[in-house]
Amino acid sequence: MSVREVLRDRGAATYLGGVLVSGFGDSAMMLVAGVWVKTLTGSSSLAAAVNACLWAPTLFGPLLGTAADRFRRRPLLVAVNAVLAVLLPALLAVRAGGDVWLLLVVLTAVGVGSVLCDAAQAGLVVSAVPAELRGDFNGLRMTVNEGMKLLAPLAGAGLFVRWGGGAVAALDAVTFALAALAFAALRVREQPPVPPAGSWREQTAAGVRALRGNPLLVRLVGAGGAALLLSGVSSAATYALVDDGLHRPPAFVGVIYAVQGAGSVVAGIAAGAVMRRMPERVFAAAGLLLFSAGVGMRVVPSLPTVFCGAVAIGIGLPWVVVAAFTAVQQHTEPALVGRVAAAAGTVVFGPTALATGLGAGLVALADYRIQLAGSAAAGALTAWLLLLRRPRPAGRDGNLPAPRGRDTGAKSPTPPGR
């Protein structure tokens, strides 16, 4: 299957339309929110709190995933996007430093909504997208998200300069409304949610057990968490690289990230085709090795080498994430997909804030090249550990066996199923 065939599938194309429009508004808002807070208060710490508000709900992923599994996924996606579309215009009231609390509250709600949507979407993919299209679909979804990160911040910055933060909040509200309409138009047959059995704690624990009970998922999700942790540590050295290594102004960091984003767009398009030619573990390990090579290239203070490294990071890092969440979709019982995906999201994305702070501290203590070299070596070691031993096939504790005709560790033309 190819990207073209994904787009020909009505369900997959409609789903991607919802991801596209909501991703555009979110990317614009994420950039502008910090600038908005800094402009109103002059406080760098409050500006940094913006990202904390957006990422903090990830730490409650298993609990929010349990909530997502209690409802049909399509109506839940429609409802969450509609609620956020109604909530965001409240930010039009933010006009002075004393109003920043409202912005932080709304952004926290957006973070909660994002975690709920991610959990619901993971379950909906299983119903809306054929198994043979999921590798290409997840790669294309990554391409859409990364493409929005290249375009939306420019639109958001332009709106902010011309009309202020309220205009960007209005844009984000419109995109949430459009996403709700796109998901409402999705035609999919969903199995009714399994009636709740046991307490919230027991249901949440069931999702965690399902993840821990599948050796393949443990390895892939753990590799994703390690990759994002190392990405945060190495990214913290980027400003030192630009200043001390390349002797460029701080704004040049944006150029490096744009090049990295272009690599991620390529990664998403190619992901499905590459995944069909190797097992999930090998695909994730290949991504880790590309990421490690890219980080290692940044040790050399040469602009062409740094750009090549940025492309390698842009390709390799998304591949590790795509491998982890595609495997969750393919190897988890449908009734538990939301909880398992949310738990996986906590493992993969939760360490990001900690890693950034750790990286910033390391930059102050040692030469940035030591930090980059260490991150590159750790990434290569993680790839080696991922390939070290074949995981056992999924068995009990709520996990599905591998799809027919596929061994979880053997090469197969059938793609694995965020």
Side-chain angles (χ1 to χ4, degrees):
M1 296 296 173
S2 67
V3 169
R4 182 178 300 176
E5 288 174 273
V6 173
L7 296 176
R8 286 177 178 173
D9 184 275
R10 180 179 177 183
T14 303
Y15 184 111
L16 283 173
V19 172
L20 174 69
V21 294
S22 63
F24 184 89
D26 284 351
S27 295
M29 192 67 202
M30 284 181 69
L31 171 72
V32 166
V35 179
W36 195 0
V37 171
K38 177 70 173 178
T39 302
L40 291 175
T41 67
S43 171
S44 297
S45 59
L46 281 176
V50 167
N51 283 333
C53 290
L54 290 168
W55 282 104
T58 305
L59 300 176
F60 301 93
L63 186 62
L64 293 172
T66 300
D69 278 340
R70 285 173 168 249
F71 303 94
R72 290 181 184 269
R73 278 64 182 253
R74 186 181 68 88
L76 178 61
L77 285 169
V78 173
V80 171
N81 280 279
V83 168
L84 293 177
V86 173
L87 182 62
L88 273 160
L91 296 183
L92 294 171
V94 176
R95 300 181 181 276
D99 302 323
V100 164
W101 68 269
L102 177 59
L103 176 61
L104 298 179
V105 168
V106 171
L107 291 178
T108 301
V110 171
V112 171
S114 295
V115 176
L116 278 172
C117 284
D118 284 346
Q121 286 172 10
L124 192 62
V125 165
V126 176
S127 301
V129 181
E132 65 273 14
L133 288 177
R134 288 176 196 157
D136 293 279
F137 174 84
N138 286 324
L140 192 55
R141 179 183 174 187
M142 179 70 70
T143 295
V144 168
N145 284 332
E146 294 302 323
M148 290 305 97
K149 290 177 184 178
L150 291 175
L151 300 176
L154 297 176
L159 282 174
F160 181 78
V161 170
R162 182 66 180 86
W163 288 293
V168 184
L171 169 67
D172 204 9
V174 170
T175 60
F176 275 121
L178 291 175
L181 291 174
F183 289 124
L186 188 62
R187 296 292 175 259
V188 58
R189 289 185 177 181
E190 288 190 75
Q191 295 295 327
V194 177
S199 65
W200 274 85
R201 180 178 179 179
E202 292 170 337
Q203 294 171 54
T204 302
V208 175
R209 282 198 306 270
L211 176 60
R212 293 176 57 188
N214 188 318
L216 176 64
L217 296 186
V218 168
R219 288 193 168 213
L220 291 174
V221 172
L228 268 291
L229 178 68
L230 294 173
S231 175
V233 171
S234 61
S235 294
T238 304
Y239 284 99
L241 164 67
V242 168
D243 185 13
D244 300 333
L246 299 177
H247 305 293
R248 302 274 177 161
F252 194 76
V253 170
V255 178
I256 294 176
Y257 281 123
V259 174
Q260 182 174 321
S264 296
V265 171
V266 173
I269 294 173
V274 177
M275 289 177 76
R276 281 192 294 276
R277 289 164 174 78
M278 58 182 67
E280 297 102 323
R281 290 184 303 123
V282 178
F283 178 69
L288 275 165
L289 289 174
L290 276 171
F291 164 77
S292 299
V295 173
M297 288 181 189
R298 291 185 170 183
V299 174
V300 181
S302 164
L303 194 57
T305 305
V306 169
F307 279 166
C308 288
V311 172
I313 294 171
I315 295 174
L317 197 58
W319 278 5
V320 185
V321 176
V322 168
F325 286 97
T326 302
V328 166
Q329 295 164 6
Q330 289 290 73
H331 298 284
T332 303
E333 181 182 344
L336 292 172
V337 167
R339 276 167 278 181
V340 175
T346 297
V347 174
V348 173
F349 299 111
T352 301
L354 173 64
T356 303
L358 175 62
L362 290 174
V363 167
L365 296 174
D367 189 293
Y368 75 92
R369 289 169 293 187
I370 297 175
Q371 185 170 331
L372 292 173
S375 297
L381 176 62
T382 304
W384 178 72
L385 291 174
L386 188 60
L387 297 172
L388 187 60
R389 186 180 64 184
R390 173 184 293 186
R392 301 185 305 277
R396 302 172 64 180
D397 294 328
N399 296 295
L400 293 180
R404 186 177 179 180
R406 179 175 178 83
D407 186 291
T408 56
K411 187 173 181 178
S412 168
T414 305
R418 190 177 209 207

